[in-house]
Amino acid sequence: MIRFEPRPASPVLSVVVPVAAALVSLAFAAIPLAFAGAPIFSSYGLMVKGAYGSLFAFSETLTRTTPLILTGLAAAVAFRAKLWNIGGEGQLYAGALAAVAIGTGAISGPSWVMIPAVVLAGAVAGALLMLGPALLKLRFGADEVVTTLLLNFIMLLFVQMMLESALKDPMGLGWPQSSPIVDEAMLPTLIERMRVHSGLLIGLAMAVLVYVMMRFTVWGYEIRAVGENASAARYAGIPVMATVVRVALISGGLAGLAGVGEVAGLKGYLTADLSPGFGYAGIVVAMLAGLSPLGVVAAALFVASVFVGADSMSRAIGVSSYLADLVVAMSLLCVLVGGFLVRFRIRWVGRHHPAQTHARSGGEG
């Protein structure tokens, strides 16, 4: 028989398991590579080169990392309070939509006015989109997994409608895209002639702020307490409903900032295919990081490296870039299994025959 016994908390294992999961996932990915006839070690070398082999490659990796940090933080904060926010994708689009609405002429002014206004508008839009599911959960017990997931599709349809009407670029030759954001509202680039922008600095700053909040503030203690046991937290006098609402606003706001970075830092305008799934990938990032705000940065960099490196490798040797999705999925699976093994120890218990049990008891009874 197999028995699972609780294992004492180990900070070392909490760090080792995600790293080991990433390495194991890369080892498993070698199997489809081999079936595709690709040289395994050369393929992985091309992945590393594609992600870090030049300044341009590294800047592209950082560009892909930026939204993953913010959507990963959004998921990590919400999951810590057992608020299952699956709506990062919709909140990202809400933030992008608000940024475009403000940055294309709703207000005008110098950069020091426009940039904070665009960033604030995106964060507020993402926060408000997450507020609805949180209130439905608290008032009616609605499953936030369902409501946030469905809001992703609703938000995307709303964006498509706006791109064909109020926000449509009159100079776009019929292409469904918004008017471009004015230069004063664009986030500055970090490296000349590269796409990496100061949204990366916003993501890193948010990671530090979330870490400080979760570790050293009363709000962070309340979030952790509600996540561990909401009934016990309520009995201890913690305002559970207010805490859930607060978490929803923070989580949605972080995802909204990811949308701001994509339109005001990268593309300069909004399209319906703005995100290739950053909101969903953020969930993977948060799980890989063990819901650690600082770990989210490392996990986002790993996931971005896999995607950028796999794209480069696929072009070089003709292997499908979907290998990146396979590596990320297996990483998540390995982390989930590893996390279970961190919390529980497996013991094999022998099954004894009733006659043996009777003999060991001295024949009593």
Side-chain angles (χ1 to χ4, degrees):
M1 296 178 61
I2 299 177
R3 177 182 298 170
F4 298 103
E5 298 179 353
R7 188 193 297 269
S10 173
V12 176
L13 285 178
S14 300
V15 175
V16 170
V17 166
V19 176
L23 296 176
V24 170
S25 66
L26 290 174
F28 281 140
I31 299 174
L33 271 177
F35 277 106
I40 296 174
F41 292 106
S42 298
S43 299
Y44 283 138
L46 288 171
M47 284 184 66
V48 174
K49 183 179 179 180
Y52 299 101
S54 65
L55 179 61
F56 173 76
F58 183 52
S59 71
E60 287 299 298
T61 301
L62 292 180
T63 301
R64 186 70 69 95
T65 301
T66 300
L68 292 176
I69 291 176
L70 291 164
T71 56
L73 287 172
V77 170
F79 289 4
R80 183 66 73 180
K82 295 292 192 297
L83 181 65
W84 309 113
N85 179 12
I86 314 298
E89 188 80 353
Q91 293 146 25
L92 181 151
Y93 273 101
L97 187 65
V100 167
I102 296 296
T104 55
I107 63 173
S108 60
S111 296
W112 61 270
V113 172
M114 293 296 294
I115 291 177
V118 165
V119 171
L120 181 61
V124 170
L128 291 178
L129 192 64
M130 183 56 197
L131 180 61
L135 294 178
L136 289 174
K137 173 186 174 71
L138 294 172
R139 180 65 180 85
F140 302 105
D143 189 343
E144 72 275 18
V145 172
V146 176
T147 54
T148 55
L149 181 61
L150 292 179
L151 272 176
N152 289 336
F153 302 102
I154 294 172
M155 192 67 221
L156 183 56
L157 290 172
F158 181 70
V159 167
Q160 292 173 341
M161 182 188 75
M162 295 299 291
L163 293 179
E164 294 289 355
S165 55
L167 295 180
K168 187 173 183 178
D169 184 5
M171 303 298 292
L173 301 177
W175 191 258
Q177 67 182 41
S178 73
S179 299
I181 295 178
V182 297
D183 292 341
E184 291 79 8
M186 290 292 292
L187 299 177
T189 57
L190 297 180
I191 303 176
E192 189 176 357
R193 295 194 300 274
M194 302 293 174
R195 299 201 306 163
V196 60
H197 53 85
S198 53
L200 176 63
L201 301 181
I202 295 176
L204 295 175
M206 290 299 104
V208 173
L209 286 176
V210 171
Y211 170 76
V212 171
M213 180 193 72
M214 297 296 295
R215 185 73 182 272
F216 301 108
T217 68
V218 174
W219 278 14
Y221 172 78
E222 291 176 347
I223 291 171
R224 296 196 309 272
V226 170
E228 290 294 332
N229 191 319
S231 299
R234 185 179 292 107
Y235 181 79
I238 293 176
V240 174
M241 293 184 64
T243 300
V244 171
V245 169
R246 190 182 302 133
V247 167
L249 293 174
I250 294 173
S251 177
L254 288 167
L257 286 176
V260 173
E262 291 304 287
V263 292
L266 190 58
K267 296 190 71 170
Y269 55 89
L270 177 61
T271 59
D273 60 351
L274 175 71
S275 169
F278 289 131
Y280 301 111
I283 299 172
V284 178
V285 168
M287 298 303 295
L288 286 175
L291 306 186
S292 166
L294 298 182
V296 162
V297 177
L301 183 61
F302 167 74
V303 173
S305 301
V306 170
F307 280 124
V308 174
D311 287 340
S312 177
M313 178 192 67
S314 68
R315 291 191 298 269
I317 62 176
V319 174
S320 173
S321 60
Y322 285 108
L323 179 69
D325 298 316
L326 182 64
V327 172
V328 172
M330 287 192 298
S331 298
L332 177 59
L333 181 61
C334 292
V335 165
L336 293 176
V337 174
F340 179 81
L341 296 178
V342 167
R343 294 192 301 272
F344 297 96
R345 181 186 292 110
I346 300 177
R347 289 208 180 272
W348 296 88
V349 181
R351 180 175 295 178
H352 303 292
H353 192 275
Q356 294 176 334
T357 305
H358 180 74
R360 289 181 182 179
S361 64
E364 295 180 2

